[in-house]
Amino acid sequence: MKTNKLLKSLFIIVLLIANVSCDQISKNIVRQKIEYNTQINVISNYLILTKVENTGAFLGLGDTIPRPLYKLLMIAFPLIVIGYALFYLIKKDTLSILFITGVSFMIGGGLGNIYDRILHGSVTDFLYFDFVLFHTGVVNMADISVTAGFCILLYDLYFNRKKPKTIE
């Protein structure tokens, strides 16, 4: 039983490290190599690299709030939620692999953006997607991790409610 908990914890840690590392490495490359508001077409007009700094949350929401409130809402509160989610993942024994993966992706993405807010005072965004029918704002790998984790979690909650596959 202890081996299974250890393997589950190791799996969570590997996912967190992979998500945060991918996010931070990509942001560091963008900070060093791309000038602000330069547009680099990677795939025609469907994927564009452009460097912007986001001092708020999603699409800049909250960028004008006073700094003490900003620190509470954008750093402290998310860290508390992430801490609880991580505690839940580690303590709960009946979670499916997909559930653990989805929540770990969300935690990893959240940690990547919180790290930026603490270290830089803003989050570096650089990916713009145009999917013809809709387009995104400028996002980063942490945002993609959170979104992917959410989609994995929804898939798991919708399709795998009868027999969860557990790491035990």
Side-chain angles (χ1 to χ4, degrees):
M1 181 108 172
K2 287 190 182 233
T3 303
N4 293 333
K5 279 197 174 262
L6 181 64
L7 286 175
K8 181 175 88 168
S9 296
L10 185 61
F11 179 67
I12 292 167
I13 290 167
V14 167
L15 287 177
L16 294 179
I17 290 171
N19 275 273
V20 173
S21 297
C22 182
D23 174 59
Q24 289 302 307
I25 290 168
S26 63
K27 287 175 182 172
N28 284 331
I29 291 169
V30 167
R31 285 186 197 109
Q32 293 173 10
K33 304 284 184 188
I34 299 177
E35 296 297 321
Y36 285 102
N37 298 315
T38 299
Q39 292 191 353
I40 302 169
N41 289 342
V42 178
I43 302 174
S44 188
N45 287 328
Y46 302 110
L47 173 59
I48 298 171
L49 296 181
T50 183
K51 179 170 81 171
V52 297
E53 292 298 325
N54 183 353
T55 56
F58 177 71
L59 298 176
L61 294 174
D63 63 345
T64 59
I65 61 176
R67 282 331 243 182
L69 186 58
Y70 173 87
K71 288 179 180 177
L72 178 69
L73 294 176
M74 303 292 186
I75 297 171
F77 181 69
L79 279 175
I80 291 167
V81 171
I82 284 171
Y84 175 76
L86 188 55
F87 175 79
Y88 181 81
L89 284 183
I90 291 170
K91 288 297 182 185
K92 189 80 171 162
D93 290 332
T94 58
L95 302 174
S96 72
I97 294 169
L98 281 175
F99 186 92
I100 292 167
T101 302
V103 174
S104 294
F105 270 55
M106 293 170 73
I107 291 171
L111 287 174
N113 280 341
I114 291 169
Y115 179 81
D116 278 2
R117 288 184 184 115
I118 292 169
L119 193 65
H120 302 289
S122 64
V123 174
T124 302
D125 290 330
F126 57 92
L127 295 167
Y128 172 82
F129 297 95
D130 185 345
F131 294 110
V132 181
L133 297 176
F134 70 94
H135 59 90
T136 66
V138 182
V139 299
N140 58 48
M141 293 306 293
D143 300 331
I144 292 171
S145 289
V146 170
T147 303
F150 183 73
C151 291
I152 292 167
L153 190 61
L154 283 179
Y155 177 88
D156 181 57
L157 292 172
Y158 186 76
F159 290 107
N160 295 330
R161 290 316 319 152
K162 292 183 182 178
K163 288 184 186 178
K165 296 176 185 172
T166 59
I167 298 178
E168 290 185 43

